[in-house]
Amino acid sequence: MKRQKKTSKIQSKLITYIWICVIPFIVLLVFALIRLYSYYQEYDLLVRNITGANKYSMEFKDDMDEMMYRIIIGSANWTDAEEKLEGEDPKALISEARTHFKELRSKSTEENVIADLDALIKLLGILDERVDDILANVEEGGHYDENMEMLDMNIRTLTSLIQGDVQQYIYDEATNMEMLRREVASGLLTTIRVLVILLIAIILFIYIMSNRLSKTITTPVTELVDMTEKFAGGDFTVSYHPESHDEMEILAESFNSMVKEIETLVEDIHKEQENAKDAELRLLQEQINPHFLYNTLDAIIWMTEAGENKKAIQMTQDLSTFFRVSLSKGASQITIENEREHVKSYLKIQRFRYQDILDYKIEFDDDILGYHIQKLTLQPIVENAIYHGIKNKRGKGMIQVSGTQEGDDIVFRIEDDGIGMTDEELSHLRGIISGRITEDEQAGFGMANVQKRLVKNYGASYGIQVESEYMKGTVVTVRIPKVD
């Protein structure tokens, strides 16, 4: 079963600050879009109203007059539905016009426009009645002279009045459009002023929030660095308690526990073996190196100041994992899975620092992860591979850490393609690891301590073997028994 990845509190805080900065821009954009859309709707309604009314201003009078004249003279056979010409229905034309202007009336809010439309609708009603009179005479037959007189006196007069009212309506709507244009121009200037003021306010807000975010991340790291410098100088009374409740709190707890554990170990060493004091202290330094912590925290500060917050957060998480496994609540044995995580976090931190020269690969068989191993077995060997193999090589190097099962044993291989060793150097290192050479050799001190602990816990048939070839690389094999 895969572990669920914990959400970083620092990362959550960073995302929250980003959203706090982004939301005002979204609000500003929504405000501008709403204002523009409101102006567009008003303008579009006026244009459509004028366009629709203009059709009746140009065509209605001519179409109605001609249609009624053709019906009166018999050119359009009104009484015979089969011979009636398509599109020559004055009643339909009036109904369509009345429906159109009633719809405009329902959407209008200006009093002068409403008055124009009321007059138009009333005239169309009168025209409808006069058309009914003529159509009734046509259906009855005869009444030619009377119909022609009604056409001149009623129909053409009414269509002229309707045409005039339509033009008056168009004029009033055009006047309203001009007023809207002025309002839009004035509103646009106001909107621009408001947007500029809000933009300046948002920029100032973001500046303040970014400073606050930077201090939130860098201040606790800087304080912990100060504590680490004091600790590196030999002050075991230091203790750090950050105000933030995030990964820095976990790191501070690990740091405080580390200080207390080291202080206790130093006191025990003084009591138990005065002659082995220097060696034991160096062993503790190999296990938990305050200078490594100092350099790592220094790198986190540099990343934060450079704006690489995600890398800083990731490095903080890796450092927290590294020290949690290093301490392991005082246990001397941990699972191989935890040892793998310890090596992985160490290599991830080192790759941040040496990204131009270091790459790595970790491959452990799944069926060995539940077995136990002496804590801090692989990390000193990996550290030796970096500082005495990869760093002395030109170009980028690769470290491969693997764990496999061989019968009742578990075998680890730490392989690097660094500078390697000459036969003389390899022989000297093997002598240090085996204990035959006891002189102070930093290059093999950590590996010698690992060998000493493995032999003590598992027997002489287990431990470290080293193979190396100059300019090609080094392979360190660690063999341990299966321990549930």
Side-chain angles (χ1 to χ4, degrees):
M1 181 183 293
K2 293 184 177 179
R3 294 181 189 170
Q4 286 187 334
K5 188 176 182 181
K6 292 184 179 179
T7 302
S8 166
K9 292 182 180 179
I10 294 179
Q11 186 177 14
S12 300
K13 188 182 296 183
L14 180 63
I15 293 172
T16 301
Y17 277 117
I18 291 173
W19 272 110
I20 290 174
C21 295
V22 168
I23 286 174
F25 277 109
I26 296 175
V27 172
L28 190 64
L29 178 62
V30 171
F31 170 76
L33 291 176
I34 290 174
R35 289 296 298 269
L36 289 174
Y37 185 68
S38 175
Y39 289 140
Y40 164 76
Q41 281 187 313
E42 293 184 46
Y43 181 79
D44 181 66
L45 179 61
L46 287 173
V47 170
R48 285 190 284 109
N49 289 349
I50 292 173
T51 302
N54 193 54
K55 167 186 173 183
Y56 291 97
S57 173
M58 301 294 295
E59 302 173 359
F60 183 79
K61 175 176 173 54
D62 293 339
D63 290 346
M64 180 59 68
D65 291 349
E66 183 179 356
M67 198 179 301
M68 292 305 298
Y69 175 74
R70 288 170 59 82
I71 290 173
I72 292 171
I73 66 174
S75 175
N77 193 346
W78 175 259
T79 58
D80 190 341
E82 294 182 358
E83 296 183 9
K84 186 188 296 184
L85 296 176
E86 184 179 355
E88 293 194 348
D89 187 347
K91 298 285 288 181
L93 184 60
I94 294 171
S95 176
E96 179 186 349
R98 187 153 45 188
T99 300
H100 179 77
F101 288 117
K102 282 183 177 180
E103 184 178 351
L104 294 181
R105 170 67 172 79
S106 66
K107 297 179 181 178
S108 299
T109 57
E110 300 294 333
E111 292 183 2
N112 59 340
V113 172
I114 292 174
D116 294 337
L117 293 171
D118 285 341
L120 270 170
I121 294 169
K122 184 175 181 181
L123 286 173
L124 286 168
I126 297 172
L127 178 62
D128 192 34
E129 293 175 357
R130 300 291 83 80
V131 168
D132 284 340
D133 294 340
I134 294 176
L135 293 178
N137 288 340
V138 171
E139 290 177 356
E140 184 179 336
H143 304 286
Y144 177 79
D145 293 334
E146 181 184 351
N147 288 341
M148 290 300 292
E149 183 179 356
M150 290 174 68
L151 174 63
D152 291 332
M153 297 301 295
N154 295 334
I155 304 302
R156 287 174 178 163
T157 300
L158 286 170
T159 55
S160 295
L161 290 173
I162 290 171
Q163 186 178 44
D165 280 358
V166 171
Q167 291 173 350
Q168 180 63 40
Y169 166 76
I170 293 173
Y171 173 78
D172 287 340
E173 286 285 44
T175 302
N176 292 336
M177 182 179 291
E178 173 61 18
M179 293 174 62
L180 177 62
R181 184 194 67 78
R182 294 177 184 176
E183 181 183 346
V184 169
S186 175
L188 185 60
L189 290 175
T190 302
T191 301
I192 290 174
R193 292 190 189 99
V194 172
L195 291 178
V196 169
I197 293 172
L198 290 176
L199 185 61
I200 293 173
I202 289 172
I203 291 173
L204 290 175
F205 175 74
I206 291 175
Y207 174 76
I208 294 171
M209 294 301 293
S210 62
N211 281 342
R212 183 177 177 183
L213 173 62
S214 177
K215 290 179 180 178
T216 300
I217 295 176
T218 59
T219 299
V221 174
T222 304
E223 292 173 351
L224 185 55
V225 168
D226 293 338
M227 295 294 153
T228 306
E229 286 180 329
K230 293 179 181 179
F231 171 63
D235 184 0
F236 295 133
T237 64
V238 295
S239 179
Y240 180 53
H241 302 282
E243 296 180 359
S244 59
H245 301 287
D246 50 29
E247 284 77 10
M248 287 306 304
E249 183 178 29
I250 298 173
L251 187 58
E253 290 176 358
S254 299
F255 173 79
N256 294 335
S257 298
M258 177 190 69
V259 172
K260 291 179 180 179
E261 184 173 342
I262 291 178
E263 183 180 13
T264 301
L265 289 173
V266 170
E267 291 176 357
D268 291 343
I269 290 169
H270 277 289
K271 292 177 182 178
E272 293 176 1
Q273 283 187 330
E274 187 63 29
N275 294 333
K277 180 177 64 175
D278 293 336
E280 290 296 326
L281 285 173
R282 289 183 62 186
L283 174 60
L284 290 173
Q285 290 172 353
E286 286 293 325
Q287 292 177 349
I288 305 173
N289 192 336
H291 294 289
F292 166 71
L293 174 61
Y294 170 78
N295 292 333
T296 303
L297 292 175
D298 200 31
I300 292 172
I301 292 177
W302 178 84
M303 290 178 182
T304 305
E305 291 177 346
E308 298 180 347
N309 294 324
K310 289 186 177 179
K311 288 184 178 180
I313 291 170
Q314 184 60 53
M315 200 169 186
T316 302
Q317 291 175 324
D318 294 334
L319 187 60
S320 178
T321 300
F322 177 82
F323 279 108
R324 275 202 301 268
V325 178
S326 295
L327 297 173
S328 300
K329 298 180 179 180
S332 60
Q333 291 202 2
I334 59 175
T335 63
I336 292 176
E337 182 178 13
N338 285 336
E339 182 75 5
R340 182 186 64 178
E341 292 304 309
H342 186 247
V343 172
K344 184 177 180 181
S345 62
Y346 176 79
L347 282 170
K348 287 174 71 175
I349 292 170
Q350 294 290 44
R351 187 165 63 177
F352 273 116
R353 296 177 57 197
Y354 304 113
Q355 55 185 332
D356 294 333
I357 65 169
L358 176 63
D359 204 351
Y360 69 88
K361 183 186 295 184
I362 300 176
E363 294 180 344
F364 281 33
D365 291 346
D366 291 339
D367 54 3
I368 70 170
L369 298 180
Y371 292 105
H372 285 73
I373 186 174
Q374 284 291 310
K375 181 173 64 177
L376 300 169
T377 296
L378 302 180
Q379 184 270 333
I381 301 173
V382 172
E383 182 177 354
N384 194 76
I386 293 175
Y387 287 101
H388 301 285
I390 300 299
K391 287 186 67 175
N392 293 327
K393 171 191 175 181
R394 289 186 178 181
K396 197 165 189 176
M398 167 69 79
I399 294 178
Q400 299 185 65
V401 184
S402 63
T404 58
Q405 186 176 196
E406 291 184 9
D408 293 329
D409 296 340
I410 296 173
V411 177
F412 302 94
R413 285 171 57 89
I414 299 89
E415 182 176 357
D416 70 77
D417 58 358
I419 192 66
M421 289 177 278
T422 62
D423 291 341
E424 182 180 355
E425 291 171 337
L426 178 60
S427 177
H428 191 74
L429 177 61
R430 287 172 174 170
I432 294 173
I433 293 173
S434 65
R436 290 184 289 104
I437 300 176
T438 58
E439 66 184 70
D440 186 9
E441 284 290 333
Q442 183 63 35
F445 183 81
M447 294 174 65
N449 276 295
V450 171
Q451 174 70 4
K452 183 178 179 180
R453 287 189 289 128
L454 292 177
V455 172
K456 180 180 178 181
N457 284 278
Y458 304 133
S461 59
Y462 297 98
I464 298 174
Q465 291 183 350
V466 183
E467 300 292 335
S468 184
E469 187 173 348
Y470 185 64
M471 297 304 292
K472 288 190 177 181
T474 302
V475 179
V476 178
T477 303
V478 179
R479 181 180 294 273
I480 65 171
K482 291 180 182 177
V483 178
D484 291 325

